Amino acid sequence: MDFEALAVELRNLRETVTGVSDTVIAAVDGIPLIADAAPGIDPAKISALAAANLGIARQAAEITGRGTLSQTVVFSSEGYMAVYAIGRMALMVIMGDKDLNVGRLLFECRPVIERIKKLLPD
């Protein structure tokens, strides 16, 4: 796995989209693979939380017949946490402050996810 290339993708996303504060790529079982996060952020806790979030959202998409899940977004009073499915085996977490432009994030993440898919093992 090319950790440097993954780090570049996470760093570029943070620098490109105003309001992105922290990013994590993890396996769907909640094990963090790489993080670009502030010292006060625990990638293991964020990864575990995101894996649970993604699992529930995938079940909701399946049960309601709405197709394959691609993302979830948690809107909070002080910011956001977006969780993106990267295939069936990985996920990406984006955390942002209350100034995050969620529409821009959704737009910018699509090509990033495609590039990350190519960097992760099958």
Side-chain angles (χ1 to χ4, degrees), residues 63-76:
I63 288 170
T64 60
R66 301 297 182 210
T68 303
L69 177 79
S70 60
Q71 69 213 15
T72 68
V73 181
V74 176
F75 294 81
S76 301

Side-chain angles (χ1 to χ4, degrees), residues 3-64:
F3 287 102
E4 184 55 36
L6 291 172
V8 167
E9 290 292 345
L10 295 180
R11 189 170 42 252
N12 286 343
L13 188 60
R14 183 173 36 83
E15 292 171 355
T16 302
V17 181
T18 302
V20 171
S21 56
D22 309 283
T23 55
V24 179
I25 296 174
V28 292
D29 62 1
I31 303 298
L33 302 174
I34 188 167
D36 179 24
I41 300 295
D42 182 347
K45 288 181 181 177
I46 296 300
S47 296
L49 177 65
N53 175 283
L54 187 68
I56 291 169
R58 275 190 169 145
Q59 287 294 323
E62 185 177 315
I63 288 170
T64 60

